[in-house]
């Protein structure tokens, strides 16, 4: 007798209430720890913050990659939304500038976001698909801004990567400083880079943050 080809494997049973609660706590704790300490933070530190055992954490998320991609998928989707809104702006340079500024603000708010955005996760198909959407959208923003003559023709996505790396350094070096100081320093860096990429006339820079050499 031939097996019925329409037969489907039974769906995985839903998580019990306590398991769902643990999963939610782990994700919340991971967001906090990754934001504070970056993606290399020990898994044990996340388990402690969540109030669960390390074994419980690994039952829910067998690998660091699985936890990272689950935590940062929403931020990556948010990044795609930012790019989509920028593409809808009738002024391509303004859309490009706004997207860069917004993504860098997201980055400063969460240290882990940089690592997740720049790291490849071949096993996380959905995460990589969303990242691909973001990269394609950024590429289109660049092409449109260059077509207006306001963005240097030699500009490439590598320059965006360099900005993200530099902005990450600002966040790391100023860890512990007031949020307003970190935001102002990041904003000044981003505006300086945008001015370097822009053809005349240049947009004005925002006020310099209150930093001196002793902050280095």
């Amino acid at each position: 007798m031939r097996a019925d080809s329409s037969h489907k494997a039974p769906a995985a049973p839903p998580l019990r209430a306590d398991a769902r609660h643990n999963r939610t706590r782990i994700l919340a704790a991971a967001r906090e720890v990754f934001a504070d300490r970056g993606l290399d933070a020990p898994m044990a530190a996340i388990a402690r913050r969540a109030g669960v055992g390390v074994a419980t954490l690994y039952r829910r998320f067998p690998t660091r990659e699985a936890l990272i991609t689950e935590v940062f998928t929403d931020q990556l989707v948010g990044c795609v939304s930012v790019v989509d809104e920028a593409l809808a702006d009738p002024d391509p340079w303004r859309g490009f500038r706004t997207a860069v500024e917004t993504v860098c603000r997201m980055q400063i708010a969460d240290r882990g976001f940089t690592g997740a955005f720049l790291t490849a996760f071949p096993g996380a198909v959905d995460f990589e698909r969303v990242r691909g959407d973001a990269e394609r959208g950024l590429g289109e923003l660049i092409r449109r801004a260059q077509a207006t003559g306001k963005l240097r023709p030699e500009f490439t996505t590598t320059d965006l990567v360099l900005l993200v790396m530099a902005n990450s350094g600002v966040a790391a070096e100023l860890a512990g400083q007031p949020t307003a100081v970190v935001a102002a320093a990041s904003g000044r860096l981003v505006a300086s880079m945008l001015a370097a990429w822009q053809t005349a006339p240049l947009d004005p820079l925002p006020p310099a943050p209150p930093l001196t050499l002793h902050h280095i």
Side-chain angles (χ1 to χ4, degrees), residues 15 26 42 46 48-49 51-52 57 71 86 91 105 112 124 126 137 139 143 146 155 176-177 194 198-199 204 216:
L15 293 175
I26 290 168
I46 296 171
R48 283 196 301 273
R49 181 76 65 93
V52 301
L57 187 155
V71 167
D91 182 334
R105 282 196 297 270
D126 290 341
R143 286 189 291 274
Q146 287 174 327
F155 180 90
Q177 293 291 321
L194 285 167
Q198 186 182 8
T199 56
I216 298 177

Tab-separated table of all heavy atoms in Angstrom, residues 15 26 42 46 48-49 51-52 57 71 86 91 105 112 124 126 137 139 143 146 155 176-177 194 198-199 204 216:
chain	number	residue	atom	x	y	z
A	15	LEU	N	4.617	25.727	22.956
A	15	LEU	CA	5.364	25.775	24.206
A	15	LEU	C	4.418	25.934	25.384
A	15	LEU	O	3.389	26.609	25.304
A	15	LEU	CB	6.336	26.964	24.186
A	15	LEU	CG	7.487	26.905	23.183
A	15	LEU	CD1	8.271	28.209	23.232
A	15	LEU	CD2	8.396	25.726	23.462
A	26	ILE	N	14.528	35.405	28.276
A	26	ILE	CA	15.853	35.245	27.668
A	26	ILE	C	16.070	36.279	26.567
A	26	ILE	O	17.130	36.911	26.485
A	26	ILE	CB	16.026	33.816	27.116
A	26	ILE	CG1	16.125	32.812	28.275
A	26	ILE	CG2	17.256	33.720	26.220
A	26	ILE	CD1	16.009	31.366	27.839
A	42	PRO	N	29.140	36.851	27.297
A	42	PRO	CA	28.978	35.431	27.642
A	42	PRO	C	27.498	35.032	27.718
A	42	PRO	O	26.664	35.792	28.211
A	42	PRO	CB	29.637	35.324	29.024
A	42	PRO	CG	30.522	36.520	29.129
A	42	PRO	CD	29.859	37.603	28.343
A	46	ILE	N	23.857	36.302	30.030
A	46	ILE	CA	22.477	36.453	29.565
A	46	ILE	C	21.540	35.597	30.409
A	46	ILE	O	20.456	36.044	30.813
A	46	ILE	CB	22.375	36.079	28.075
A	46	ILE	CG1	23.207	37.054	27.236
A	46	ILE	CG2	20.922	36.063	27.603
A	46	ILE	CD1	23.363	36.655	25.786
A	48	ARG	N	21.981	34.639	33.486
A	48	ARG	CA	21.839	35.256	34.817
A	48	ARG	C	20.880	36.426	34.761
A	48	ARG	O	20.029	36.590	35.643
A	48	ARG	CB	23.212	35.727	35.320
A	48	ARG	CG	24.102	34.623	35.841
A	48	ARG	CD	25.249	35.183	36.657
A	48	ARG	NE	26.084	36.104	35.891
A	48	ARG	CZ	27.108	35.710	35.143
A	48	ARG	NH1	27.437	34.430	35.066
A	48	ARG	NH2	27.823	36.612	34.481
A	49	ARG	N	21.014	37.274	33.729
A	49	ARG	CA	20.118	38.435	33.609
A	49	ARG	C	18.667	37.979	33.443
A	49	ARG	O	17.747	38.629	33.954
A	49	ARG	CB	20.548	39.284	32.404
A	49	ARG	CG	19.723	40.541	32.147
A	49	ARG	CD	20.057	41.637	33.128
A	49	ARG	NE	21.419	42.100	32.957
A	49	ARG	CZ	21.785	43.139	32.191
A	49	ARG	NH1	20.863	43.826	31.533
A	49	ARG	NH2	23.039	43.507	32.110
A	51	GLY	N	17.460	35.221	34.672
A	51	GLY	CA	17.021	34.449	35.836
A	51	GLY	C	16.736	33.004	35.518
A	51	GLY	O	15.880	32.376	36.151
A	52	VAL	N	17.477	32.453	34.534
A	52	VAL	CA	17.305	31.046	34.168
A	52	VAL	C	18.682	30.383	34.163
A	52	VAL	O	19.721	31.053	34.178
A	52	VAL	CB	16.650	30.883	32.779
A	52	VAL	CG1	15.289	31.550	32.740
A	52	VAL	CG2	17.559	31.436	31.677
A	57	LEU	N	18.641	28.159	28.765
A	57	LEU	CA	18.905	29.057	27.636
A	57	LEU	C	19.211	28.251	26.381
A	57	LEU	O	18.658	28.526	25.308
A	57	LEU	CB	20.068	29.985	27.986
A	57	LEU	CG	20.391	31.109	26.983
A	57	LEU	CD1	21.096	32.263	27.684
A	57	LEU	CD2	21.272	30.621	25.836
A	71	VAL	N	17.132	37.961	18.339
A	71	VAL	CA	17.107	39.239	19.042
A	71	VAL	C	17.087	40.412	18.070
A	71	VAL	O	16.355	41.395	18.272
A	71	VAL	CB	18.331	39.352	19.985
A	71	VAL	CG1	18.510	40.787	20.478
A	71	VAL	CG2	18.171	38.414	21.171
A	86	ALA	N	12.980	56.167	3.062
A	86	ALA	CA	13.913	57.060	2.373
A	86	ALA	C	13.740	56.969	0.863
A	86	ALA	O	13.828	57.978	0.153
A	86	ALA	CB	15.344	56.713	2.772
A	91	ASP	N	13.036	63.635	-2.713
A	91	ASP	CA	14.368	64.228	-2.772
A	91	ASP	C	15.388	63.132	-2.452
A	91	ASP	O	15.556	62.761	-1.288
A	91	ASP	CB	14.484	65.371	-1.768
A	91	ASP	CG	15.837	66.081	-1.805
A	91	ASP	OD1	16.835	65.440	-2.203
A	91	ASP	OD2	15.893	67.260	-1.431
A	105	ARG	N	21.666	56.402	14.449
A	105	ARG	CA	21.042	56.592	15.766
A	105	ARG	C	20.610	55.252	16.349
A	105	ARG	O	20.749	55.003	17.563
A	105	ARG	CB	19.837	57.537	15.656
A	105	ARG	CG	20.216	59.006	15.550
A	105	ARG	CD	19.026	59.911	15.837
A	105	ARG	NE	17.959	59.743	14.871
A	105	ARG	CZ	17.851	60.440	13.747
A	105	ARG	NH1	18.753	61.367	13.458
A	105	ARG	NH2	16.845	60.243	12.921
A	112	GLY	N	24.986	46.100	20.141
A	112	GLY	CA	24.961	44.817	19.465
A	112	GLY	C	24.498	44.895	18.033
A	112	GLY	O	24.813	44.016	17.221
A	124	ALA	N	20.953	31.332	9.092
A	124	ALA	CA	19.727	32.061	9.430
A	124	ALA	C	19.133	32.637	8.146
A	124	ALA	O	19.369	33.799	7.795
A	124	ALA	CB	20.030	33.158	10.443
A	126	ASP	N	16.088	33.532	7.069
A	126	ASP	CA	15.201	34.694	7.124
A	126	ASP	C	15.977	35.964	7.460
A	126	ASP	O	15.731	37.032	6.879
A	126	ASP	CB	14.087	34.472	8.152
A	126	ASP	CG	13.086	33.420	7.702
A	126	ASP	OD1	13.038	33.136	6.490
A	126	ASP	OD2	12.360	32.878	8.556
A	137	GLY	N	18.267	47.996	-0.829
A	137	GLY	CA	17.648	49.314	-0.682
A	137	GLY	C	18.683	50.416	-0.536
A	137	GLY	O	18.562	51.495	-1.138
A	139	GLY	N	21.718	50.318	-1.677
A	139	GLY	CA	22.341	50.476	-2.991
A	139	GLY	C	21.520	51.365	-3.897
A	139	GLY	O	22.069	52.214	-4.625
A	143	ARG	N	22.492	55.045	-5.592
A	143	ARG	CA	22.389	55.329	-7.030
A	143	ARG	C	21.535	56.576	-7.291
A	143	ARG	O	21.892	57.414	-8.126
A	143	ARG	CB	21.804	54.116	-7.760
A	143	ARG	CG	22.790	52.961	-7.901
A	143	ARG	CD	22.248	51.885	-8.808
A	143	ARG	NE	21.117	51.181	-8.204
A	143	ARG	CZ	21.245	50.137	-7.394
A	143	ARG	NH1	22.456	49.693	-7.073
A	143	ARG	NH2	20.195	49.527	-6.898
A	146	GLN	N	23.405	59.766	-6.179
A	146	GLN	CA	24.475	60.092	-7.132
A	146	GLN	C	23.901	60.664	-8.423
A	146	GLN	O	24.507	61.550	-9.042
A	146	GLN	CB	25.314	58.850	-7.416
A	146	GLN	CG	26.226	58.465	-6.249
A	146	GLN	CD	26.947	57.156	-6.462
A	146	GLN	OE1	26.410	56.237	-7.098
A	146	GLN	NE2	28.142	57.027	-5.919
A	155	PHE	N	31.565	57.442	-4.367
A	155	PHE	CA	31.042	56.860	-3.126
A	155	PHE	C	30.562	55.427	-3.378
A	155	PHE	O	29.945	55.137	-4.401
A	155	PHE	CB	29.869	57.699	-2.610
A	155	PHE	CG	29.254	57.176	-1.340
A	155	PHE	CD1	29.725	57.589	-0.111
A	155	PHE	CD2	28.209	56.253	-1.380
A	155	PHE	CE1	29.161	57.106	1.064
A	155	PHE	CE2	27.652	55.762	-0.220
A	155	PHE	CZ	28.129	56.192	1.009
A	176	GLY	N	29.417	55.063	29.231
A	176	GLY	CA	29.403	55.649	30.568
A	176	GLY	C	29.156	57.142	30.570
A	176	GLY	O	28.820	57.723	31.608
A	177	GLN	N	29.324	57.797	29.410
A	177	GLN	CA	29.014	59.222	29.303
A	177	GLN	C	27.502	59.415	29.204
A	177	GLN	O	26.764	58.501	28.825
A	177	GLN	CB	29.688	59.815	28.066
A	177	GLN	CG	31.198	59.843	28.124
A	177	GLN	CD	31.717	60.832	29.134
A	177	GLN	OE1	31.169	61.928	29.278
A	177	GLN	NE2	32.762	60.462	29.860
A	194	LEU	N	28.834	62.880	6.074
A	194	LEU	CA	27.901	63.255	5.013
A	194	LEU	C	28.427	64.464	4.242
A	194	LEU	O	28.310	64.534	3.005
A	194	LEU	CB	26.519	63.548	5.604
A	194	LEU	CG	25.702	62.329	6.028
A	194	LEU	CD1	24.506	62.751	6.889
A	194	LEU	CD2	25.212	61.544	4.807
A	198	GLN	N	29.311	64.723	0.226
A	198	GLN	CA	28.412	65.585	-0.530
A	198	GLN	C	29.185	66.532	-1.437
A	198	GLN	O	30.266	67.000	-1.099
A	198	GLN	CB	27.559	66.408	0.455
A	198	GLN	CG	26.479	67.254	-0.173
A	198	GLN	CD	25.729	68.067	0.879
A	198	GLN	OE1	26.118	68.091	2.039
A	198	GLN	NE2	24.669	68.732	0.471
A	199	THR	N	28.628	66.797	-2.602
A	199	THR	CA	29.155	67.864	-3.444
A	199	THR	C	28.509	69.169	-2.994
A	199	THR	O	27.519	69.176	-2.262
A	199	THR	CB	28.835	67.593	-4.919
A	199	THR	OG1	27.420	67.432	-5.077
A	199	THR	CG2	29.531	66.327	-5.391
A	204	PRO	N	25.188	72.340	6.763
A	204	PRO	CA	25.953	72.757	7.946
A	204	PRO	C	26.091	71.613	8.953
A	204	PRO	O	25.232	70.734	9.039
A	204	PRO	CB	25.120	73.902	8.525
A	204	PRO	CG	23.723	73.616	8.058
A	204	PRO	CD	23.866	72.999	6.699
A	216	ILE	N	39.618	60.659	25.445
A	216	ILE	CA	40.215	59.602	24.640
A	216	ILE	C	40.799	58.527	25.540
A	216	ILE	O	41.503	58.831	26.488
A	216	ILE	CB	41.313	60.186	23.721
A	216	ILE	CG1	40.703	61.207	22.755
A	216	ILE	CG2	42.004	59.060	22.931
A	216	ILE	CD1	41.704	61.893	21.862
